[in-house]
């Protein structure tokens, strides 16, 4: 399996959560208008799409490096480290936008959050990714 595809799959979780949250915010009415028209809701949606776009750009760069034969473990750990933190945060934002419906199966956001958490474990812990990256930076292995 190509080493950056897990990061792509994780970004897919965030994108799915975002798309479901956006649809919900466009349809859910509060005070006679869609909640998507409220400033704080738009702020959360904007943060989510900015994070997702940045993740996609990083993955494209990793694919370019792989095609050039230059992709290293340090590159992969950098990308995976970013995804470890950002994807679950984006899924949490989506859950927050849906309020109590964020955990209801009908809206799928809870499933995307659970998938993001599972990918966190599958990729290797955040700390292990940082130790691999730290070795590439310093030249010293912290592994015992």
């Amino acid at each position: 399996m190509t080493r950056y595809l897990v990061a792509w799959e994780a970004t897919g979780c965030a994108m799915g959560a975002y798309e479901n949250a956006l649809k919900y915010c466009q349809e859910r009415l509060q005070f006679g208008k869609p909640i998507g028209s409220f400033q704080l809701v738009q702020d959360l949606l904007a943060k989510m799409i900015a994070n997702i776009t940045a993740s996609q750009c990083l993955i494209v760069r990793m694919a370019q490096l792989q095609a050039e034969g230059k992709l290293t473990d340090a590159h992969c750990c950098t990308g995976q480290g970013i995804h470890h933190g950002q994807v679950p945060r984006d899924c949490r934002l989506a859950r927050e936008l849906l309020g109590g419906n964020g955990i209801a199966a009908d809206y799928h956001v809870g499933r995307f959050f659970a998938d993001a958490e599972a990918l966190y474990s599958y990729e290797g812990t955040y700390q292990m990714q940082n130790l691999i990256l730290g070795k590439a930076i310093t030249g010293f292995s912290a592994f015992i």
Side-chain angles (χ1 to χ4, degrees), residues 40-135:
L40 294 178
V41 169
Q42 290 182 5
D43 178 60
L44 293 179
L45 289 168
K47 286 177 184 174
M48 290 174 66
I49 198 63
N51 293 337
I52 291 165
T53 302
S55 292
Q56 290 171 332
C57 290
L58 179 60
I59 293 165
V60 167
R61 181 62 185 136
M62 289 168 61
Q64 291 169 338
L65 288 169
Q66 174 131 3
E68 296 168 6
K70 297 177 182 176
L71 186 67
T72 67
D73 288 340
H75 292 125
C76 291
C77 289
T78 300
Q80 290 173 345
I82 289 169
H83 290 95
H84 274 146
Q86 201 54 55
V87 170
R89 277 193 295 269
D90 288 338
C91 290
R92 276 197 260 345
L93 291 177
R95 200 225 43 85
E96 183 179 330
L97 286 170
L98 272 70
N101 287 328
I103 57 172
D106 295 350
Y107 296 98
H108 308 290
V109 171
R111 178 177 56 89
F112 287 113
F113 180 75
D115 288 350
E117 287 296 318
L119 287 170
Y120 176 86
S121 298
Y122 175 74
E123 288 182 16
T125 66
Y126 180 74
Q127 292 82 4
M128 293 304 291
Q129 299 294 339
N130 281 347
L131 291 176
I132 294 167
L133 182 56
K135 179 181 177 185

